[in-house]
């Protein structure tokens, strides 16, 4: 793909894509550019509160969860609608290097930088406690992955 950089006096960098027709690949490129800051890192996640789009930084997110066939982002104060699937967020987090986001169940991805404790009961159920006082359950299916990522594997 041909690229060109123009040096101009403008308050904020912006990008224009010239194309013969809009394709899924072009839309994907545009979405990646939209999520980037000036350093080239993806730093903002668009989340929706009704008709309003709010931009969240990854460090503001406690968890991403699905409920009633919709995906939500939980921040300190509120839950907002996320217009992407859980697996799409997982892919985005992996591409951006956000290693704190770990899938804990089929319906939840937790930001482990916001976790205060893992509450492990005798029955085998594990609860994740967040710094905002809320909790989420870890499914047994994902426990090995979480133990490996947190280096809790017994030797």
């Amino acid at each position: 793909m041909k690229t060109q950089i123009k040096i101009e006096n403008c308050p904020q960098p912006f990008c224009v894509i010239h194309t013969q027709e809009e394709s899924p690949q072009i839309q994907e490129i545009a979405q990646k550019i939209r999520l980037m800051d000036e350093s080239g890192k993806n730093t903002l996640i668009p989340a929706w509160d009704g008709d309003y789009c709010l931009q969240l930084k990854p460090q503001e997110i406690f968890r991403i969860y699905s409920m009633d066939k919709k995906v939500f982002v939980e921040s300190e104060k509120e839950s907002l609608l996320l217009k992407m699937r859980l697996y799409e967020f997982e892919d985005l987090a992996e591409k951006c290097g956000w290693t704190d986001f770990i899938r804990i169940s089929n319906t939840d991805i937790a930001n482990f930088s916001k976790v205060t404790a893992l509450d492990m009961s005798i029955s085998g159920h594990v609860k994740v406690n967040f710094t905002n006082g809320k909790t989420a359950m870890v499914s047994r299916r994902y426990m090995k992955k979480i133990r490996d990522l947190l280096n809790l594997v017994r030797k």
Side-chain angles (χ1 to χ4, degrees):
M1 187 178 297
K2 187 176 168 184
T3 60
Q4 179 183 17
I5 298 175
K6 261 188 176 176
I7 308 298
E8 295 178 349
N9 187 14
C10 60
Q12 192 172 14
F14 67 94
C15 181
V16 178
I17 299 173
H18 298 273
T19 181
Q20 194 169 10
E21 62 182 25
E22 193 170 326
S23 67
Q25 292 84 7
I26 296 296
Q27 289 176 344
E28 185 179 334
I29 290 168
Q31 179 66 16
K32 286 180 182 177
I33 293 170
R34 256 185 240 112
L35 293 174
M36 286 184 189
D37 66 0
E38 293 172 13
S39 69
K41 294 182 180 178
N42 291 341
T43 56
L44 298 176
I45 305 295
W48 297 85
D49 183 15
D51 292 334
Y52 296 99
C53 180
L54 304 171
Q55 302 292 322
L56 294 176
K57 294 178 181 173
Q59 57 268 28
E60 296 173 326
I61 297 172
F62 284 80
R63 71 180 182 130
I64 295 92
Y65 64 97
S66 66
M67 185 172 62
D68 299 329
K69 297 185 180 182
K70 293 181 181 177
V71 178
F72 297 92
V73 172
E74 188 175 289
S75 66
E76 179 76 40
K77 299 174 186 169
E78 59 193 342
S79 288
L80 303 167
L81 182 66
L82 183 66
K83 292 188 177 179
M84 63 175 66
R85 303 269 182 225
L86 285 172
Y87 72 88
E88 292 173 331
F89 183 86
E90 268 185 314
D91 292 342
L92 177 65
E94 186 178 324
K95 289 176 187 174
C96 296
W98 301 334
T99 56
D100 292 333
F101 290 95
I102 300 172
R103 177 79 82 134
I104 61 170
S105 70
N106 282 342
T107 60
D108 280 284
I109 298 172
N111 182 353
F112 270 76
S113 68
K114 299 287 186 181
V115 171
T116 57
L118 291 175
D119 186 6
M120 298 183 188
S121 68
I122 296 172
S123 64
H125 295 289
V126 178
K127 190 180 355 176
V128 176
N129 297 325
F130 294 99
T131 56
N132 64 352
K134 297 195 178 180
T135 62
M137 296 302 290
V138 176
S139 86
R140 291 182 185 166
R141 180 182 194 185
Y142 290 92
M143 269 314 296
K144 181 175 177 0
K145 181 180 177 184
I146 293 168
R147 281 188 186 122
D148 291 345
L149 289 168
L150 297 175
N151 296 321
L152 297 175
V153 178
R154 293 183 190 152
K155 294 184 179 183

